[in-house]
Short mmCIF file of all heavy atoms in Angstrom, two decimals:
data_model
loop_
_atom_site.label_atom_id
_atom_site.label_comp_id
_atom_site.label_asym_id
_atom_site.label_seq_id
_atom_site.Cartn_x
_atom_site.Cartn_y
_atom_site.Cartn_z
N ARG J 218 100.13 -106.92 -56.88
CA ARG J 218 99.85 -105.49 -57.03
C ARG J 218 100.69 -104.88 -58.13
O ARG J 218 101.79 -105.35 -58.45
CB ARG J 218 100.09 -104.75 -55.73
CG ARG J 218 99.15 -105.14 -54.61
CD ARG J 218 99.19 -104.16 -53.47
NE ARG J 218 98.51 -102.92 -53.82
CZ ARG J 218 98.07 -102.04 -52.92
NH1 ARG J 218 98.23 -102.28 -51.65
NH2 ARG J 218 97.47 -100.94 -53.31
N GLY J 219 100.18 -103.78 -58.71
CA GLY J 219 100.91 -103.07 -59.75
C GLY J 219 101.53 -101.79 -59.22
O GLY J 219 101.94 -101.70 -58.07
N THR J 220 101.59 -100.75 -60.09
CA THR J 220 102.18 -99.47 -59.72
C THR J 220 101.07 -98.49 -59.39
O THR J 220 100.30 -98.08 -60.27
CB THR J 220 103.05 -98.93 -60.87
OG1 THR J 220 104.14 -99.84 -61.09
CG2 THR J 220 103.60 -97.56 -60.54
N GLU J 221 100.97 -98.12 -58.14
CA GLU J 221 99.91 -97.22 -57.68
C GLU J 221 100.24 -95.78 -58.12
O GLU J 221 101.42 -95.41 -58.23
CB GLU J 221 99.82 -97.32 -56.15
CG GLU J 221 98.63 -96.61 -55.54
CD GLU J 221 99.05 -95.32 -54.89
OE1 GLU J 221 100.25 -95.11 -54.68
OE2 GLU J 221 98.15 -94.51 -54.58
N SER J 224 102.91 -93.50 -56.28
CA SER J 224 104.26 -94.00 -56.00
C SER J 224 105.31 -93.25 -56.81
O SER J 224 105.00 -92.50 -57.75
CB SER J 224 104.34 -95.50 -56.32
OG SER J 224 104.17 -95.71 -57.71
N LEU J 225 106.55 -93.46 -56.44
CA LEU J 225 107.66 -92.82 -57.15
C LEU J 225 107.71 -93.27 -58.60
O LEU J 225 107.87 -92.47 -59.53
CB LEU J 225 108.97 -93.13 -56.43
CG LEU J 225 110.22 -92.40 -56.92
CD1 LEU J 225 110.08 -90.90 -56.74
CD2 LEU J 225 111.46 -92.92 -56.19
N GLY J 226 107.54 -94.58 -58.84
CA GLY J 226 107.57 -95.11 -60.19
C GLY J 226 106.43 -94.62 -61.06
O GLY J 226 106.56 -94.53 -62.28
N ALA J 227 105.31 -94.25 -60.42
CA ALA J 227 104.15 -93.77 -61.18
C ALA J 227 104.45 -92.48 -61.92
O ALA J 227 103.80 -92.17 -62.93
CB ALA J 227 102.96 -93.57 -60.25
N HIS J 255 104.45 -101.54 -70.24
CA HIS J 255 105.65 -101.25 -69.44
C HIS J 255 105.39 -101.08 -67.94
O HIS J 255 106.33 -100.79 -67.20
CB HIS J 255 106.39 -100.01 -69.97
CG HIS J 255 106.68 -100.06 -71.44
ND1 HIS J 255 107.49 -101.02 -71.99
CD2 HIS J 255 106.24 -99.27 -72.46
CE1 HIS J 255 107.55 -100.84 -73.30
NE2 HIS J 255 106.81 -99.78 -73.62
N VAL J 256 104.14 -101.27 -67.51
CA VAL J 256 103.88 -101.17 -66.07
C VAL J 256 104.60 -102.28 -65.31
O VAL J 256 105.16 -102.05 -64.24
CB VAL J 256 102.36 -101.21 -65.79
CG1 VAL J 256 102.10 -101.30 -64.30
CG2 VAL J 256 101.68 -99.98 -66.37
N ASP J 257 104.61 -103.48 -65.89
CA ASP J 257 105.29 -104.59 -65.22
C ASP J 257 106.78 -104.30 -65.05
O ASP J 257 107.37 -104.63 -64.02
CB ASP J 257 105.11 -105.88 -66.03
CG ASP J 257 103.70 -106.43 -65.92
OD1 ASP J 257 102.97 -106.01 -65.01
OD2 ASP J 257 103.33 -107.28 -66.76
N GLU J 258 107.39 -103.67 -66.05
CA GLU J 258 108.81 -103.35 -65.96
C GLU J 258 109.10 -102.35 -64.84
O GLU J 258 110.07 -102.50 -64.08
CB GLU J 258 109.33 -102.80 -67.29
CG GLU J 258 109.43 -103.83 -68.41
CD GLU J 258 108.14 -103.98 -69.19
OE1 GLU J 258 107.06 -103.64 -68.65
OE2 GLU J 258 108.21 -104.43 -70.35
N VAL J 259 108.24 -101.34 -64.72
CA VAL J 259 108.43 -100.34 -63.67
C VAL J 259 108.20 -100.97 -62.29
O VAL J 259 108.93 -100.69 -61.33
CB VAL J 259 107.50 -99.13 -63.89
CG1 VAL J 259 107.53 -98.20 -62.68
CG2 VAL J 259 107.92 -98.38 -65.14
N SER J 260 107.20 -101.84 -62.20
CA SER J 260 106.95 -102.52 -60.93
C SER J 260 108.13 -103.41 -60.55
O SER J 260 108.52 -103.48 -59.38
CB SER J 260 105.67 -103.36 -61.02
OG SER J 260 104.54 -102.54 -61.25
N THR J 261 108.70 -104.07 -61.54
CA THR J 261 109.88 -104.91 -61.29
C THR J 261 111.07 -104.07 -60.85
O THR J 261 111.83 -104.44 -59.95
CB THR J 261 110.25 -105.72 -62.54
OG1 THR J 261 109.13 -106.54 -62.91
CG2 THR J 261 111.47 -106.59 -62.30
N ALA J 262 111.21 -102.90 -61.47
CA ALA J 262 112.30 -101.99 -61.09
C ALA J 262 112.13 -101.53 -59.65
O ALA J 262 113.11 -101.40 -58.90
CB ALA J 262 112.34 -100.79 -62.03
N ALA J 263 110.88 -101.28 -59.23
CA ALA J 263 110.62 -100.88 -57.85
C ALA J 263 111.03 -101.99 -56.88
O ALA J 263 111.64 -101.73 -55.84
CB ALA J 263 109.14 -100.53 -57.67
N LEU J 264 110.71 -103.22 -57.24
CA LEU J 264 111.11 -104.35 -56.40
C LEU J 264 112.63 -104.47 -56.33
O LEU J 264 113.20 -104.79 -55.28
CB LEU J 264 110.50 -105.65 -56.93
CG LEU J 264 108.98 -105.79 -56.79
CD1 LEU J 264 108.49 -107.04 -57.50
CD2 LEU J 264 108.59 -105.84 -55.31
N ALA J 265 113.30 -104.20 -57.46
CA ALA J 265 114.76 -104.24 -57.48
C ALA J 265 115.35 -103.16 -56.58
O ALA J 265 116.34 -103.38 -55.86
CB ALA J 265 115.27 -104.09 -58.91
N LEU J 266 114.74 -101.98 -56.59
CA LEU J 266 115.20 -100.91 -55.71
C LEU J 266 114.99 -101.27 -54.24
O LEU J 266 115.82 -100.94 -53.38
CB LEU J 266 114.46 -99.61 -56.04
CG LEU J 266 114.89 -98.90 -57.33
CD1 LEU J 266 113.98 -97.72 -57.60
CD2 LEU J 266 116.34 -98.43 -57.22
N THR J 267 113.89 -101.94 -53.95
CA THR J 267 113.66 -102.40 -52.59
C THR J 267 114.73 -103.40 -52.18
O THR J 267 115.24 -103.35 -51.05
CB THR J 267 112.26 -103.04 -52.46
OG1 THR J 267 111.27 -102.07 -52.79
CG2 THR J 267 112.02 -103.56 -51.06
N GLY J 268 115.10 -104.27 -53.09
CA GLY J 268 116.19 -105.21 -52.82
C GLY J 268 117.50 -104.49 -52.57
O GLY J 268 118.27 -104.86 -51.67
N ALA J 269 117.76 -103.45 -53.36
CA ALA J 269 118.98 -102.66 -53.18
C ALA J 269 118.96 -101.96 -51.82
O ALA J 269 119.99 -101.85 -51.14
CB ALA J 269 119.12 -101.65 -54.30
N ALA J 270 117.78 -101.46 -51.41
CA ALA J 270 117.65 -100.82 -50.10
C ALA J 270 117.97 -101.81 -48.99
O ALA J 270 118.67 -101.47 -48.02
CB ALA J 270 116.24 -100.26 -49.93
N PHE J 271 117.47 -103.03 -49.14
CA PHE J 271 117.77 -104.05 -48.14
C PHE J 271 119.26 -104.34 -48.11
O PHE J 271 119.85 -104.50 -47.02
CB PHE J 271 117.00 -105.34 -48.47
CG PHE J 271 117.28 -106.46 -47.51
CD1 PHE J 271 116.63 -106.51 -46.28
CD2 PHE J 271 118.18 -107.46 -47.83
CE1 PHE J 271 116.89 -107.54 -45.39
CE2 PHE J 271 118.44 -108.49 -46.95
CZ PHE J 271 117.80 -108.54 -45.73
N LEU J 299 113.43 -95.82 -46.65
CA LEU J 299 113.96 -96.55 -47.81
C LEU J 299 112.89 -97.43 -48.44
O LEU J 299 112.71 -97.46 -49.67
CB LEU J 299 115.16 -97.40 -47.40
CG LEU J 299 116.50 -96.68 -47.27
CD1 LEU J 299 117.50 -97.55 -46.52
CD2 LEU J 299 117.04 -96.33 -48.66
N PHE J 300 112.17 -98.16 -47.61
CA PHE J 300 111.19 -99.08 -48.15
C PHE J 300 109.90 -98.37 -48.58
O PHE J 300 109.14 -98.90 -49.37
CB PHE J 300 110.89 -100.19 -47.14
CG PHE J 300 111.97 -101.24 -47.12
CD1 PHE J 300 113.10 -101.08 -46.35
CD2 PHE J 300 111.88 -102.36 -47.94
CE1 PHE J 300 114.11 -102.02 -46.35
CE2 PHE J 300 112.88 -103.31 -47.95
CZ PHE J 300 114.01 -103.15 -47.16
N THR J 301 109.67 -97.17 -48.09
CA THR J 301 108.51 -96.39 -48.55
C THR J 301 108.76 -95.83 -49.94
O THR J 301 107.92 -95.97 -50.83
CB THR J 301 108.22 -95.25 -47.57
OG1 THR J 301 107.86 -95.78 -46.29
CG2 THR J 301 107.05 -94.39 -48.07
N VAL J 302 109.90 -95.19 -50.15
CA VAL J 302 110.14 -94.55 -51.45
C VAL J 302 110.36 -95.56 -52.56
O VAL J 302 110.14 -95.24 -53.74
CB VAL J 302 111.33 -93.56 -51.38
CG1 VAL J 302 111.06 -92.45 -50.40
CG2 VAL J 302 112.63 -94.27 -51.06
N THR J 303 110.79 -96.78 -52.23
CA THR J 303 111.00 -97.79 -53.27
C THR J 303 109.78 -98.68 -53.49
O THR J 303 109.79 -99.56 -54.36
CB THR J 303 112.21 -98.68 -52.93
OG1 THR J 303 111.98 -99.36 -51.69
CG2 THR J 303 113.48 -97.85 -52.82
N SER J 304 108.72 -98.44 -52.72
CA SER J 304 107.53 -99.28 -52.82
C SER J 304 106.75 -98.99 -54.09
O SER J 304 106.80 -97.89 -54.64
CB SER J 304 106.63 -99.04 -51.60
OG SER J 304 105.41 -99.73 -51.73
N ARG J 305 105.98 -99.98 -54.53
CA ARG J 305 105.07 -99.77 -55.67
C ARG J 305 103.85 -98.97 -55.27
O ARG J 305 103.08 -98.54 -56.13
CB ARG J 305 104.62 -101.13 -56.21
CG ARG J 305 105.71 -101.95 -56.85
CD ARG J 305 105.24 -103.36 -57.15
NE ARG J 305 105.01 -104.10 -55.92
CZ ARG J 305 104.46 -105.32 -55.87
NH1 ARG J 305 104.04 -105.89 -56.99
NH2 ARG J 305 104.30 -105.95 -54.72
N VAL J 306 103.67 -98.77 -53.97
CA VAL J 306 102.52 -98.03 -53.44
C VAL J 306 103.03 -97.04 -52.39
O VAL J 306 103.80 -97.41 -51.52
CB VAL J 306 101.50 -98.98 -52.79
CG1 VAL J 306 100.31 -98.20 -52.25
CG2 VAL J 306 101.04 -100.04 -53.79
N ILE J 307 102.61 -95.77 -52.50
CA ILE J 307 102.87 -94.80 -51.42
C ILE J 307 101.53 -94.15 -51.11
O ILE J 307 101.17 -93.11 -51.66
CB ILE J 307 103.91 -93.73 -51.80
CG1 ILE J 307 105.22 -94.37 -52.25
CG2 ILE J 307 104.15 -92.81 -50.61
CD1 ILE J 307 106.31 -93.36 -52.61
#
Side-chain angles (χ1 to χ4, degrees):
R218 294 194 74 161
T220 297
E221 190 256 346
S224 66
L225 188 62
H255 308 298
V256 172
D257 287 344
E258 288 88 337
V259 171
S260 297
T261 301
L264 291 173
L266 285 174
T267 299
F271 178 81
L299 280 166
F300 282 85
T301 297
V302 299
T303 61
S304 174
R305 292 170 292 173
V306 180
I307 304 181

